[in-house]
Amino acid sequence: MKDTDILMEFLKMPLESSDEVFNKFAKIPGAIRRGSELEQFLFIKGKRDNRVLLVAHADTYWDSYYLSAESKPQKIYRYNGVVKNKNGGLGADDRAGCAMIWLLKEMGHSILITNGEEYGRIGSHWLMNENPDIADEINLNHQFIVQLDRKNDKDFKCYSVGTDEFRTYVKNTTGYLEPDLLSYTDIVTLCRDVCGVNLSVGYHNQHTEDEYLVIKEWENTLNMCHRWLSESELPHFGLK
């Protein structure tokens, strides 16, 4: 399948449920799936010695909309390199990130799919508070953490979990820019001892019915990650 076919597969998964995303990743050998509902995650330990952790969240902002209001069936379409849902929000935040991680899964890096990010990082909080073995694994045995969950084209965000040295490294390696340090996402909870960064995956107008994704922007980050994360010696960046 083409990369864009995988992207469309994830974007067409039901917005009101994370089950299809989790069930797909659960088929990968070595997948550890724990919890239920919003307190849920799936972890796959990478095979590389020099590895990073790739993170995305399975839930969408539209979970609550579909569960609390009369909703219309998704009608996903592509036109001139843009993907939209004619019947409302697209859910590219963060199904676009999940699709990207699926396409990066053979690189030997670890994978973490969380749930409940849109409700206040519920899944990542549950992981850190109730699953110390996985919390230690992701913080002690990875060079850094990369979340694929940022709007726009070429942004990166470290929030409160990046050192000056790490920010310079990300900027120089990716060519992306950090607009500010505001807000948060799962890495703010997950990064206890190691630095983390969130990268753009090409969606715009998230959390609105005008949400759309630019395929070339999504492909740009995918291809950049292939180049970057294929390096044999990725440096380690401790947070403290």
Side-chain angles (χ1 to χ4, degrees):
M1 295 179 70
K2 296 180 180 179
D3 293 348
T4 51
D5 292 335
I6 295 295
L7 171 64
M8 294 300 290
E9 177 188 350
F10 274 87
L11 292 177
K12 289 179 180 179
M13 290 179 179
L15 293 175
E16 68 273 19
S17 171
S18 304
D19 287 346
E20 246 185 85
V21 176
F22 279 108
N23 291 340
K24 187 172 180 67
F25 277 95
K27 295 176 183 178
I28 299 175
I32 298 170
R33 183 177 179 180
R34 293 182 185 172
S36 61
E37 303 300 331
L38 296 179
E39 289 186 336
Q40 182 177 184
F41 69 84
L42 183 147
F43 175 73
I44 303 167
K45 183 177 179 179
K47 297 180 179 179
R48 281 182 47 150
D49 291 331
N50 186 263
R51 60 183 176 269
V52 304
L53 177 68
L54 302 174
V55 180
H57 64 87
D59 61 306
T60 75
Y61 171 82
W62 301 97
D63 286 3
S64 58
Y65 173 82
Y66 275 79
L67 293 173
S68 64
E70 182 178 350
S71 59
K72 300 178 182 178
Q74 290 168 258
K75 195 171 183 180
I76 309 298
Y77 72 100
R78 295 168 57 179
Y79 180 74
N80 285 343
V82 172
V83 186
K84 294 190 73 173
N85 175 13
K86 287 185 177 180
N87 285 339
L90 181 61
D93 173 12
D94 188 28
R95 299 292 170 78
C98 291
M100 197 174 293
I101 289 181
W102 183 262
L103 291 163
L104 297 171
K105 70 183 187 301
E106 303 299 332
M107 298 189 71
H109 297 291
S110 298
I111 292 170
L112 178 65
I113 305 298
T114 67
N115 211 25
E117 191 275 346
E118 298 289 1
Y119 294 82
R121 298 166 284 161
I122 292 176
S124 56
H125 279 298
W126 184 73
L127 184 160
M128 296 300 293
N129 293 332
E130 303 297 334
N131 297 268
D133 58 330
I134 303 298
D136 286 346
E137 172 66 30
I138 65 179
N139 276 276
L140 301 179
N141 296 317
H142 294 87
Q143 306 302 83
F144 49 87
I145 298 177
V146 176
Q147 184 158 351
L148 297 162
D149 180 31
R150 172 69 185 166
K151 65 182 180 180
N152 299 333
D153 181 10
K154 294 183 178 181
D155 287 357
F156 79 85
K157 293 264 287 192
C158 292
Y159 313 99
S160 60
V161 293
T163 61
D164 290 343
E165 181 183 15
F166 182 62
R167 285 186 162 90
T168 298
Y169 166 74
V170 172
K171 179 180 177 181
N172 291 341
T173 303
T174 66
Y176 289 14
L177 298 176
E178 187 171 35
D180 54 59
L181 308 184
L182 303 176
S183 195
Y184 53 82
T185 188
D186 281 322
I187 55 171
V188 177
T189 300
L190 297 168
C191 291
R192 185 191 67 201
D193 305 306
V194 68
C195 289
V197 62
N198 188 15
L199 300 176
S200 291
V201 294
Y203 66 78
H204 301 261
N205 295 340
Q206 76 277 15
H207 303 177
T208 76
E209 294 195 0
D210 294 321
E211 181 185 6
Y212 65 92
L213 180 138
V214 180
I215 292 176
K216 283 188 176 181
E217 295 179 359
W218 178 83
E219 290 177 325
N220 180 68
T221 294
L222 174 63
N223 294 333
M224 182 272 292
C225 284
H226 269 298
R227 293 191 301 270
W228 175 22
L229 301 179
S230 64
E231 295 178 7
S232 59
E233 294 297 328
L234 294 166
H236 178 266
F237 289 94
L239 186 56
K240 300 178 181 178

